[in-house]
Amino acid sequence: RGALLLKNLDGTPADTQNIRNCYQYYRQNDDIIQEDCDTQLVKDDLHDYTKDDCVILDMTDDGGKPTFRVIRITSVLGNGNYEVQFYETYSKAKCVAKREYLPAYNDAQGYEVYTNSPTASMAAMVTMANEKEFRFLPFALTQKGNIPNNIVKEMIRDDYVVMLLSFS
């Protein structure tokens, strides 16, 4: 009794729907709806990144577990391409926000070294990256070299890090 018999555009029967699932359509409201939708869209979802911005670089393999690296932009190359230096940590702190991230270098023997005071024989670990691989807004590491809490919250939401709760 409270059902609508719907037809596809070619005249074939479609699923029967409860009248509560159907809404009246007024064509004269299309312009208003379209204006509202246009204001919700982001025309350019890529941000303007500048030299010395820190960013989270998505290193996830296809279908794999989300992985990331902290990077600092060392040079803007144009067309969304950047030269970046990796930052890494020795810290094993459970909280990502408490880990100190330092610039990454390769020493003369080829080992990775994370330090704010590189020697002349160390080469910075740099690579090229495109802003399509960047996640979240650019940020600056804290005075202690930590990722800011607002970025860590975004990383938790997007499964780059896991939040563990403990009760005592």
Side-chain angles (χ1 to χ4, degrees):
R1 192 158 179 102
L4 290 177
L5 207 51
L6 303 176
K7 292 185 178 179
N8 294 319
L9 292 176
D10 63 1
T12 59
D15 291 339
T16 302
Q17 293 288 323
N18 187 307
I19 198 164
R20 291 184 186 132
N21 295 339
C22 300
Y23 301 95
Q24 293 180 342
Y25 172 71
Y26 297 106
R27 188 179 184 101
Q28 64 270 21
N29 293 337
D30 279 355
D31 292 337
I32 297 169
I33 293 169
Q34 189 62 45
E35 284 176 23
D36 183 57
C37 287
D38 285 345
T39 60
Q40 303 296 322
L41 294 176
V42 177
K43 300 294 184 204
D44 180 8
D45 62 347
L46 302 176
H47 302 282
D48 291 328
Y49 298 95
T50 59
K51 187 176 184 292
D52 294 326
D53 282 343
C54 287
V55 182
I56 300 298
L57 181 67
D58 181 26
M59 304 284 286
T60 307
D61 294 331
D62 291 335
K65 179 183 171 218
T67 57
F68 72 94
R69 298 284 296 266
V70 177
I71 58 171
R72 184 181 56 83
I73 296 173
T74 56
S75 180
V76 178
L77 304 175
N79 295 328
N81 295 314
Y82 300 86
E83 182 181 75
V84 298
Q85 181 177 10
F86 291 105
Y87 273 55
E88 278 298 335
T89 183
Y90 290 114
S91 174
K92 301 293 184 208
K94 289 181 183 177
C95 180
V96 173
K98 293 182 180 176
R99 295 179 185 169
E100 179 184 13
Y101 283 86
L102 301 165
Y105 296 90
N106 284 321
D107 67 9
Q109 290 80 33
Y111 294 109
E112 289 185 14
V113 178
Y114 315 135
T115 181
N116 282 323
S117 306
T119 63
S121 65
M122 292 183 183
M125 292 179 58
V126 296
T127 190
M128 308 286 274
N130 187 280
E131 62 188 2
K132 292 178 182 176
E133 301 169 285
F134 296 171
R135 298 295 175 260
F136 320 119
L137 294 173
F139 61 90
L141 294 173
T142 65
Q143 291 283 21
K144 295 182 178 180
N146 307 120
I147 300 174
N149 287 332
N150 63 323
I151 300 297
V152 174
K153 287 178 187 176
E154 296 292 322
M155 293 171 72
I156 291 169
R157 190 188 70 203
D158 288 356
D159 293 329
Y160 285 99
V161 295
V162 176
M163 181 170 60
L164 299 175
L165 300 175
S166 61
F167 299 95
S168 53

